[in-house]
Amino acid sequence: MTCALLFRLLLLMTLAALFQGKRFGPTSRLRYSRFLDPSNVIFLRWDFDLEAEIITFELQVRTAGWVGLGVTNRYTRVGSDLVVGGVLPDGNVYFSDQHLVDEDTLEEDGSQDAELQGLTEDAVYTTMRFSRPFRSCDAHDQDITSDTIRVLAAYGLDDTLKLDRDRTFVKSIFLLQIVHPDDLDIPEDTIIHDLELTDFLIPEDDTTYACTFLPLPIVSKKHHIFKFEPKLLKHNETMVHHILVYACGNASVLPTGISDCYGADPAFSLCSQATGIAGLMEGQEMGEGHKTWAGSYQFPDDVGVSIGTPLDPQWIRLEIHYSNFHNVPGVYDSSGIRLYYTAKLRKYDMGVLQLGFFTFPIHFIPPGAESFLSYGLCKTEKFEEMNGVPVPDIQVYGYLLHTHLAGRALQAVQYRNGTQLRIICKDDLYDFNLQETRDLPYRMEIKQGDELLVECHYQTLDRDSLTFGGPSTINEMCLIFLFYYPRNNISSCMGYPDIIHVAHELGEEVSDSMEGMMAMNNVEWTPENIKKAEKACKEAQQTVIIKTIDEVVENTTGWIPEIIRAPRGPCLESSGGKVEPQDKTPAGFRAAPIALLGSSTATLRCLPLAALLFGQGALSWLLATLQVGV
């Protein structure tokens, strides 16, 4: 290949890059933003290019010193990555990709994978803007994924790079949000309706689930609800953990008043499987006594919750989970959810399908477990029979994941004709304090006859007794809500294992399920028995419970299929990086070493000038495309 041809190709590809994807320059608008600390000193903006797998951050901090932004994990800050920068008194800037070698000490990475786009300081703020790949080939860089990311932010009062715990913060954020609210339509005829408790005295108990039944708006023709938003009293935000809205079947006989959702009166747990309408917003813990909320959720422009027709629910169950861990007396609350609805109809009526492990009474998790997996199976073969009319293929567009404090990861997997089709959704870095409805990158189709499997990963190293399934925060759940269209009457499809089989595998003689659960208290929970219990639960036959919005129930059985784990995506190589062993394959590399260029001397002669004119990044892109390496 001649140099002239090489440069022509490079120029064409560079121009194409300018008009494709979202290449965020120093002045491009970044759509997403969040404060990262309780005092609103640290403000983060970000945006990303899914196709190029590049994310851009802009960190603005009220300081004249250094600032830093990176990614950490749940357990320790050791190994966290942190991009740091600042402006010296003489006006010169410094910028570096670093990592923590211990809780307080920074060390520069051998590979500099962050690209500076701007660093300024004025009388109030230091602002640093940079981009980085989702996944670099540097082992010191944490991946940016579609999981919950624990964002690490820090700053100093001067330009001395020293971490101070009082100026270091971690906040869980779902960075790769597919849909931004600004991209969605707000109809001009929007009507607002509030569903709320009135002057409810919050009990002094650690955990309270308060439920009441409320009517939906009365309309003379069909309307669509298109948005849910939390409605909170300012001083009670720290006590309201989450709010849920469940649609009730019109055949249900509902109680009045406010009561414990899962207490002595079972009527207050009606509609618990009927999640045709669901809104859940979780608080984000940011230090003692401080909480911010995940905010509203707006459906895609072609989807809405139908109200006003004979088939639509007329009443909902409002459930509010209060966490009064300090046992504060005399606090009254009138929190709830605000609905936004319109007569401008969307194309599809949406529904919510609840999947997972049937919570009570079979679910258990051993104490002292480094890792314990639970499974809940759904078989859709009976959906049409239970629905009463043909069930069209459903299109899943969003999801919500839910466990309690022991939960570490969840995923929903789809199978067709005995073969794994796809992982619908997952979060390998789940955070109990950040649960929100998330949009899928594209619509996923589920056909009648498909099997859906939910896997939940728990850790109980801090517990010395069994954890059972249940509504309390110290109990556990394993649930995934799929948001889909078009709506049908199936509200939940969940499974649980044959506990008698599990007990027998653990050496306990039992004759029924109740004895089986009681026998779990007799087991010595050594690491070997924990693994044996996990294996027995996975291999046991599952009972699958399917419910409709009118509380019609049918059971079937099935077996847990194997899950093919999703491989890590390719890393983006940069000079001087430490390459991980698993990256030394064509699938794991974006570019190959220069030694692989072979004997194309004409191409080699062009490389220095091409790099000078267009930059090493463009050169790497060209050569990777030509399959001759960098």
Side-chain angles (χ1 to χ4, degrees):
M1 179 183 294
T2 66
C3 285
L5 182 59
L6 178 65
F7 285 132
R8 184 177 298 174
L9 181 57
L10 180 56
L11 180 60
L12 288 172
M13 296 176 72
T14 304
L15 290 172
L18 295 176
F19 296 100
Q20 292 182 0
K22 297 176 181 175
R23 309 292 175 172
F24 298 102
T27 60
S28 301
R29 184 179 78 91
L30 305 181
R31 294 176 297 164
Y32 304 97
S33 62
R34 196 75 52 90
F35 280 106
L36 301 183
D37 68 308
S39 301
N40 293 347
V41 170
I42 306 174
F43 187 64
L44 176 67
R45 295 183 179 90
W46 77 94
D47 214 326
F48 52 88
D49 183 342
L50 278 177
E51 185 177 342
E53 297 188 357
I54 299 291
I55 189 165
T56 300
F57 295 106
E58 183 176 279
L59 186 69
Q60 185 179 71
V61 186
R62 287 207 303 262
T63 183
W66 68 273
V67 298
L69 184 77
V71 179
T72 187
N73 64 56
R74 176 192 295 269
Y75 304 105
T76 177
R77 292 179 187 169
V78 177
S80 304
D81 68 57
L82 194 70
V83 175
V84 299
V87 181
L88 295 169
D90 62 6
N92 288 318
V93 302
Y94 54 94
F95 177 79
S96 177
D97 184 3
Q98 306 205 7
H99 63 277
L100 274 72
V101 294
D102 58 37
E103 291 283 344
D104 304 302
T105 307
L106 286 165
E107 182 177 284
E108 187 169 80
D109 293 1
S111 172
Q112 293 295 297
D113 298 286
E115 179 182 340
L116 180 63
Q117 294 188 353
L119 228 174
T120 60
E121 180 184 304
D122 58 25
V124 181
Y125 299 107
T126 296
T127 303
M128 177 175 69
R129 182 169 175 140
F130 67 93
S131 62
R132 55 152 288 182
F134 287 1
R135 182 179 176 224
S136 77
C137 296
D138 184 355
H140 292 307
D141 291 341
Q142 304 288 327
D143 292 355
I144 303 293
T145 66
S146 58
D147 304 308
T148 297
I149 301 299
R150 287 167 174 81
V151 175
L152 174 66
Y155 69 97
L157 300 180
D158 55 32
D159 293 303
T160 304
L161 282 178
K162 181 177 176 60
L163 286 175
D164 185 323
R165 296 186 183 216
D166 291 335
R167 289 185 286 277
T168 303
F169 303 91
V170 176
K171 184 164 186 176
S172 291
I173 304 177
F174 180 54
L175 289 174
L176 302 185
Q177 303 174 49
I178 302 301
V179 179
H180 190 277
D182 289 350
D183 302 328
L184 299 172
D185 179 52
I186 302 291
E188 293 181 357
D189 66 342
T190 295
I191 307 168
I192 293 174
H193 181 83
D194 292 335
L195 302 168
E196 59 191 5
L197 300 181
T198 303
D199 293 331
F200 174 69
L201 178 61
I202 301 175
E204 297 176 35
D205 302 329
D206 290 352
T207 299
T208 299
Y209 282 79
C211 276
T212 191
F213 296 87
L214 299 169
L216 284 167
I218 299 173
V219 290
S220 59
K221 62 179 182 178
K222 180 173 179 174
H223 286 62
H224 269 139
I225 298 172
F226 65 89
K227 181 178 178 180
F228 289 104
E229 184 175 84
K231 188 170 184 287
L232 304 170
L233 292 186
K234 186 173 180 58
H235 299 295
N236 295 345
E237 288 178 343
T238 58
M239 291 189 180
V240 178
H241 185 270
H242 73 246
I243 303 172
L244 283 162
V245 174
Y246 293 105
C248 297
N250 292 333
S252 303
V253 178
L254 306 175
T256 59
I258 304 172
S259 187
D260 188 338
C261 304
Y262 308 103
D265 187 349
F268 280 88
S269 64
L270 287 173
C271 316
S272 60
Q273 286 77 37
T275 52
I277 298 176
L280 186 150
M281 285 68 68
E282 291 282 359
Q284 166 68 38
E285 296 293 348
M286 295 175 54
E288 188 67 27
H290 186 89
K291 178 181 289 187
T292 61
W293 273 67
S296 62
Y297 177 72
Q298 185 170 335
F299 303 124
D301 288 340
D302 58 348
V303 174
V305 177
S306 178
I307 57 173
T309 81
L311 297 177
D312 295 330
Q314 299 173 19
W315 288 74
I316 59 91
R317 176 166 69 94
L318 178 69
E319 172 184 304
I320 302 184
H321 175 185
Y322 293 98
S323 295
N324 188 1
F325 289 120
H326 297 293
N327 310 115
V328 180
V331 178
Y332 288 85
D333 186 60
S334 298
S335 295
I337 279 184
R338 174 162 289 176
L339 310 180
Y340 293 76
Y341 65 100
T342 174
K344 183 181 178 182
L345 298 182
R346 274 96 191 288
K347 186 174 181 180
Y348 302 109
D349 296 339
M350 62 84 70
V352 182
L353 178 63
Q354 180 178 327
L355 306 174
F357 196 117
F358 196 78
T359 300
F360 184 81
I362 300 299
H363 199 189
F364 75 92
I365 302 159
E370 173 73 34
S371 172
F372 189 83
L373 300 176
S374 293
Y375 300 90
L377 180 67
C378 168
K379 300 184 72 173
T380 66
E381 59 194 25
K382 287 193 172 186
F383 277 17
E384 189 164 299
E385 173 190 336
M386 294 184 66
N387 194 57
V389 295
V391 176
D393 299 338
I394 66 174
Q395 308 294 322
V396 180
Y397 68 86
Y399 63 95
L400 186 146
L401 313 174
H402 184 65
T403 75
H404 290 171
L405 294 171
R408 295 295 181 267
L410 301 86
Q411 64 176 332
V413 187
Q414 181 183 4
Y415 300 82
R416 184 171 296 160
N417 300 323
T419 301
Q420 180 173 322
L421 189 62
R422 63 168 66 95
I423 294 174
I424 298 174
C425 57
K426 73 175 187 67
D427 192 340
D428 289 333
L429 303 171
Y430 174 82
D431 186 342
F432 171 69
N433 286 310
L434 182 66
Q435 299 177 58
E436 56 192 356
T437 303
R438 298 175 177 178
D439 295 292
L440 291 170
Y442 58 92
R443 310 284 167 94
M444 299 187 184
E445 185 175 74
I446 297 175
K447 293 179 176 292
Q448 172 142 318
D450 288 354
E451 292 188 353
L452 307 171
L453 178 65
V454 173
E455 178 190 73
C456 291
H457 177 193
Y458 300 97
Q459 186 183 87
T460 57
L461 290 174
D462 59 342
R463 304 189 183 193
D464 55 14
S465 60
L466 280 165
T467 299
F468 292 103
S472 172
T473 304
I474 61 171
N475 298 135
E476 266 308 332
M477 289 184 171
C478 174
L479 301 175
I480 293 182
F481 298 86
L482 297 184
F483 290 71
Y484 72 90
Y485 64 85
R487 179 186 69 184
N488 59 55
N489 289 329
I490 307 300
S491 62
S492 67
C493 182
M494 298 186 287
Y496 64 88
D498 178 2
I499 193 64
I500 298 175
H501 168 82
V502 176
H504 288 169
E505 290 296 303
L506 291 169
E508 300 292 330
E509 291 299 323
V510 300
S511 58
D512 59 38
S513 295
M514 186 60 68
E515 286 185 7
M517 285 302 293
M518 295 292 291
M520 296 301 106
N521 290 300
N522 302 329
V523 177
E524 181 183 357
W525 290 111
T526 62
E528 293 76 16
N529 280 338
I530 290 171
K531 285 301 172 189
K532 188 182 291 186
E534 179 183 274
K535 182 174 184 289
C537 287
K538 184 178 180 182
E539 294 177 349
Q541 186 178 59
Q542 284 247 330
T543 296
V544 180
I545 301 177
I546 307 167
K547 293 189 178 183
T548 72
I549 194 170
D550 292 313
E551 307 289 338
V552 175
V553 180
E554 286 211 21
N555 295 352
T556 186
T557 59
W559 304 90
I560 301 299
E562 290 297 323
I563 297 176
I564 301 172
R565 307 290 168 178
R568 296 176 73 189
C571 64
L572 185 63
E573 185 187 19
S574 62
S575 61
K578 179 181 177 182
V579 179
E580 302 166 78
Q582 62 265 37
D583 294 329
K584 296 180 180 179
T585 65
F589 252 159
R590 291 280 189 86
I594 194 167
L596 299 180
L597 282 168
S599 58
S600 179
T601 55
T603 302
L604 284 171
R605 283 196 302 270
C606 299
L607 297 186
L609 184 55
L612 179 63
L613 292 177
F614 295 100
Q616 182 66 34
L619 178 63
S620 301
W621 176 32
L622 169 67
L623 293 176
T625 303
L626 294 174
Q627 298 182 337
V628 296
V630 174

